[in-house]
Amino acid sequence: MKKPLGAVVTALVLAGAGAAPAVAAPVRDTAAPALQAVNFAGTVSLSNCSGSVIRFPNSADTDPALVMTNGHCLETGFPSPGEVITGQSSSRSFGLLNSSGTRVGTLRANQVVYSTMTDTDVTIYRLTTTYSAIRSSYGISPLTVQDTHPTAGTAITVVSGYWKRTYACNIDGFVYRLKEGDWTWKDSVRYTSACQTIGGTSGSPVIDNATGKVVAVNNTGNEDGERCTENNPCEVDESGNVTVRQGINYAEETYQIPACFTTGNKLNLSASGCTLPKP
């Protein structure tokens, strides 16, 4: 997972500075008209990472809005292996972007609803405002999280609010276990080589170009060809065989998250169908 940039943003310390690999690619591929539907509206910039304002299929406009980023982007530091954080107070702020990537406002959290780096790499914040209030003030709607498993070959765009850049490629396949340092993630998304992510793109939504829905959250990549070390994740198959793919980047699926949220965007880890790790 490329480490968050934090204060050490020597802008071009980029190349591999970040927990969770930042997804990299040209700003926009004008030769691919399908990408025109994907823009920055609803994405956010954090102090050291990227993220997005998200809703679930059953969320209501009057619900408290949510922001999603990586577990390793949590302001209090990386959650330990096996650690799940819920209901932690937060006053973190986010820069809200419009379709062209211009910052149009500041959103603020009042709670870390859920954060972990176990099995997945995700943090979900609750904001002090609602979806309808955001739309009224800024004309911006949240991104919807798809509640079904993504499909190999899908054309995707990784949208970084931190860098205000997009990266286009396809889902190359899925990784049984992705191991990086002390952390292990399950059923991770592997990108085709066109998505060359960089530090600061951690937490970016991975958007299905055809539907506009979020199918994963960008989080890491193998920078140096090392085996299973920080910033050099390795793939482990069902038989325990290890594969290292230098220069390839990854994301964590998000389809399993909606089942863990009930009426009012409230977290319920005991809900039927919820498979997220529990505290």
Side-chain angles (χ1 to χ4, degrees):
M1 79 219 125
K2 303 207 170 186
K3 298 170 184 174
L5 294 185
V8 308
V9 190
T10 305
L12 297 138
V13 136
L14 288 162
V23 190
V27 172
R28 188 169 292 260
D29 181 358
T30 54
L35 295 183
Q36 297 307 310
V38 178
N39 57 49
F40 295 96
T43 63
V44 299
S45 58
L46 285 67
S47 56
N48 56 356
C49 287
S50 300
S52 57
V53 180
I54 58 159
R55 67 175 295 153
F56 305 121
N58 293 326
S59 295
D61 287 348
T62 52
D63 288 343
L66 303 173
V67 161
M68 181 172 68
T69 186
N70 282 147
H72 74 257
C73 294
L74 187 66
E75 67 268 36
T76 51
F78 292 7
S80 301
E83 182 179 13
V84 175
I85 297 165
T86 61
Q88 177 174 289
S89 179
S90 177
S91 59
R92 194 162 197 186
S93 61
F94 312 90
L96 178 66
L97 306 185
N98 65 13
S99 60
S100 63
T102 299
R103 180 172 177 151
V104 293
T106 299
L107 304 175
R108 190 169 296 278
N110 55 22
Q111 185 182 93
V112 175
V113 178
Y114 185 87
S115 184
T116 192
M117 288 176 64
T118 298
D119 294 354
T120 186
D121 185 7
V122 68
T123 296
I124 297 176
Y125 290 94
R126 184 181 69 199
L127 301 184
T128 59
T129 189
T130 64
Y131 299 120
S132 57
I134 293 172
R135 187 178 298 112
S136 176
S137 296
Y138 307 109
I140 293 173
S141 298
L143 301 177
T144 298
V145 177
Q146 178 175 298
D147 59 2
T148 56
H149 194 287
T151 303
T154 297
I156 54 173
T157 302
V158 181
V159 186
S160 171
Y162 185 94
W163 290 115
K164 300 176 179 59
R165 292 177 60 188
T166 62
Y167 306 96
C169 61
N170 293 74
I171 294 178
D172 186 49
F174 304 99
V175 181
Y176 177 70
R177 296 290 184 267
L178 189 65
K179 181 172 175 56
E180 180 172 342
D182 295 331
W183 293 275
T184 300
W185 303 305
K186 296 179 178 179
D187 197 21
S188 302
V189 171
R190 179 177 61 240
Y191 304 139
T192 52
S193 60
C195 278
Q196 291 295 304
T197 60
I198 58 177
T201 63
S202 293
S204 298
V206 179
I207 298 175
D208 180 328
N209 293 346
T211 66
K213 293 182 178 180
V214 178
V215 295
V217 59
N218 178 60
N219 85 309
T220 198
N222 187 293
E223 298 176 5
D224 308 308
E226 294 180 6
R227 177 184 169 112
C228 315
T229 62
E230 285 198 25
N231 300 322
N232 292 282
C234 62
E235 300 182 10
V236 184
D237 68 16
E238 294 91 333
S239 301
N241 299 309
V242 175
T243 301
V244 173
R245 301 179 192 270
Q246 184 175 2
I248 294 299
N249 296 297
Y250 303 88
E252 301 309 314
E253 296 168 349
T254 51
Y255 76 95
Q256 70 276 39
I257 297 175
C260 302
F261 282 79
T262 57
T263 303
N265 271 353
K266 292 180 180 177
L267 178 70
N268 181 1
L269 294 175
S270 299
S272 175
C274 178
T275 59
L276 288 176
K278 299 170 176 56

